[in-house]
Amino acid sequence: MMRLTGLLTATVLLAPPLMAHQPVLPDAGQSFTRAAPYVVEDPETSKAIFATLTGAPHYYQISSPVAFDFYVGITAPRMEGCRLPQTFSFELLDENFNRVDRRDGTRYTWQPWYEEFGRKWYWRGPEIGENFQSDRRARAGTFYLRVFNASNTGQYVLAVGDDEKFPPAVIARSLRIMPSINQTFWNEEDCIPES
């Protein structure tokens, strides 16, 4: 186990900057509602939050007592020979849930993208930022993200932040959750063949 942890640590440290997001797999009972949104801790730290819409939009809360570098983007798992089952859109909302920005996944050309660190293919969707990096500062305060599509169904990955941090606890958690993420989000049974 120590050897594997050391190898993962070395890989993370040597990974290109836009390749390393901390994987996050929310608990099965995690709330994503407007009344009880998923709270994104430390919004500048890069995270890849793996989630599934099950009939309602997902809400995320992002708060900071100081101005911060802001990045958010959305991707979806991609399997060879399978088409993107549905697209995803998101809105950035202020503390009163008024729309500040919107990224419409139905009007975006989703592109295949290979993430070298995790060795997985994704469909890369819209982002606020560029190439997985922040291109703006957000004011201090609270913001919300609303992730949705026409049917409010499907698996997506929400990327937030662009500052790569991999302390030992994150590495240990990553080793523990990646098999479940791979099995759930790259399940061949979910493949809709390309036509």
Side-chain angles (χ1 to χ4, degrees):
M1 181 67 172
M2 288 299 291
R3 182 180 247 177
L4 185 59
T5 302
L7 178 62
L8 184 58
T9 301
T11 303
V12 168
L13 293 175
L14 298 174
L18 52 94
M19 299 300 175
H21 282 75
Q22 295 178 6
V24 177
L25 184 60
D27 296 331
Q30 177 70 51
S31 175
F32 288 91
T33 65
R34 180 175 166 155
Y38 181 94
V39 176
V40 176
E41 305 279 340
D42 191 9
E44 287 187 333
T45 298
S46 64
K47 297 171 200 66
I49 304 167
F50 290 79
T52 304
L53 290 174
T54 58
H58 279 178
Y59 286 86
Y60 294 82
Q61 179 183 333
I62 299 173
S63 298
S64 177
V66 297
F68 62 101
D69 291 336
F70 185 87
Y71 173 80
V72 64
I74 198 157
T75 65
R78 180 179 185 269
M79 293 176 280
E80 186 66 35
C82 305
R83 69 176 176 84
L84 176 64
Q86 66 269 317
T87 60
F88 300 87
S89 301
F90 66 88
E91 294 177 333
L92 176 63
L93 310 170
D94 68 14
E95 64 275 4
N96 297 312
F97 291 92
N98 297 312
R99 187 168 65 195
V100 174
D101 201 341
R102 178 185 170 132
R103 295 296 190 261
D104 187 345
T106 64
R107 296 174 184 244
Y108 187 84
T109 303
W110 291 66
Q111 297 292 324
W113 173 69
Y114 184 70
E115 197 274 315
E116 292 179 12
F117 175 69
R119 297 183 181 160
K120 290 293 181 188
W121 280 95
Y122 292 81
W123 291 104
R124 185 173 172 187
E127 62 187 344
I128 296 176
E130 189 173 336
N131 295 319
F132 298 102
Q133 298 291 308
S134 169
D135 64 357
R136 67 196 67 200
R137 300 259 313 152
R139 63 169 172 73
T142 297
F143 297 90
Y144 296 93
L145 292 170
R146 183 173 84 98
V147 176
F148 62 97
N149 60 23
S151 63
N152 285 319
T153 59
Q155 296 176 325
Y156 68 92
V157 184
L158 184 70
V160 296
D162 64 359
D163 184 13
E164 290 82 22
K165 294 180 182 176
F166 282 87
V170 169
I171 293 170
R173 186 189 72 220
S174 298
L175 289 171
R176 189 177 67 251
I177 67 173
M178 283 313 296
S180 180
I181 287 172
N182 290 336
Q183 182 180 21
T184 303
F185 286 80
W186 281 271
N187 185 338
E188 295 293 332
E189 293 177 8
D190 296 333
C191 177
I192 301 171
E194 293 176 331
S195 47

